[in-house]
Amino acid sequence: MTGSSYFKRTGIIINYTHVDLDKNQVTATICHEEDIKLTVTINTDTGDVQKVGSMDEILQISPSEDEDFYIEVIREWAEIFISKKIIDPQAYFSGNYSD
């Protein structure tokens, strides 16, 4: 049995916009293309999650994932950033980060 798969970019991007090592908080935005749909701030000490915006459009584009999936991805990266004291996630992802 043979087959093929085609992968198409959805345009959904998670950007980690702020890391606060003093408060152990990470803020990320979930965007479609360049349009911010949801801003999420996670406190890794307390587990508190603050959300501003809506995931409705994101969930229509990618119905196989739910809001909890995206929050968990952000939470996992937040824990990495805080534990490794990474204050510039974009530099970290691009390979240009130095301790």
Side-chain angles (χ1 to χ4, degrees):
M1 187 170 197
T2 62
S4 60
S5 295
Y6 296 96
F7 295 96
K8 182 179 176 188
R9 179 170 132 46
T10 63
I12 299 170
I13 301 168
I14 299 174
N15 290 312
Y16 297 88
T17 58
H18 185 71
V19 177
D20 186 332
L21 295 176
D22 293 329
K23 294 181 181 177
N24 291 333
Q25 289 184 338
V26 173
T27 300
T29 57
I30 302 173
C31 306
H32 179 246
E33 302 298 339
E34 299 293 321
D35 192 17
I36 296 171
K37 300 299 178 184
L38 185 69
T39 300
V40 178
T41 301
I42 294 182
N43 183 304
T44 60
D45 283 344
T46 64
D48 289 341
V49 177
Q50 297 175 351
K51 299 181 281 188
V52 176
S54 171
M55 286 286 294
D56 293 345
E57 186 176 333
I58 299 295
L59 298 177
Q60 289 176 0
I61 295 165
S62 182
S64 62
E65 309 298 350
D66 61 10
E67 185 172 325
D68 292 338
F69 167 81
Y70 289 97
I71 299 300
E72 190 57 32
V73 168
I74 294 169
R75 182 186 316 279
E76 288 172 5
W77 278 108
E79 290 172 4
I80 291 168
F81 299 146
I82 296 299
S83 69
K84 293 187 176 194
K85 301 190 182 325
I86 296 169
I87 58 171
D88 189 348
Q90 301 311 327
Y92 178 80
F93 288 132
S94 68
N96 295 326
Y97 189 80
S98 61
D99 294 335

